[in-house]
Amino acid sequence: MRNLKRVLLAVFILLLVLAILAFVLENQQSVTLLFLGWVGPELSVSLAMVIALLIGMVIGPIVGWFLRRASRSSHKRLV
C-alpha cells in the first residue's frame, strides 16, 4: 500500500512536470507588460505567467492572515 502511494505520487508529479513543460514550450512569444504607466521588460508569456503565479502565492496567504487577524479582533470586541 505504501509503495502504491509512492508510485501514484511519482506519476502525478511527472504528469504535472510534463504539463508545465508543455505550457512553457507552447508560450514562447515575447510580451511587454504595462501596468499603471509602468512598462515592464520584454518577457515570454510563460515566464510572465509563472511570475504572476508566484506573486499570487506570496500575497494570498498574507491577505488571508490579515483577514483572520481582523476577524479575531472584531470578534473579541463583540464578546
Side-chain angles (χ1 to χ4, degrees), residues 23 26-31 43-51:
F23 176 78
E26 290 291 324
N27 292 292
Q28 291 296 316
Q29 302 87 356
S30 294
V31 294
L43 301 171
S44 68
V45 173
S46 59
L47 185 60
M49 293 294 291
V50 168
I51 290 171

Side-chain angles (χ1 to χ4, degrees), residues 23-44:
F23 176 78
V24 169
L25 291 175
E26 290 291 324
N27 292 292
Q28 291 296 316
Q29 302 87 356
S30 294
V31 294
T32 302
L33 300 177
L34 176 67
F35 181 70
L36 298 175
W38 179 76
V39 179
E42 191 169 301
L43 301 171
S44 68

Side-chain angles (χ1 to χ4, degrees), residues 7 14 17 22 32-33 37 40 42 46 57 59-60 65-66 76 78:
V7 169
L14 179 64
V17 168
T32 302
L33 300 177
E42 191 169 301
S46 59
M57 289 174 67
I59 291 175
W65 179 76
F66 277 118
K76 286 181 182 178
L78 293 175

Side-chain angles (χ1 to χ4, degrees), residues 50-68:
V50 168
I51 290 171
L53 173 70
L54 293 175
I55 290 171
M57 289 174 67
V58 170
I59 291 175
I62 293 171
V63 169
W65 179 76
F66 277 118
L67 291 175
R68 278 192 309 270

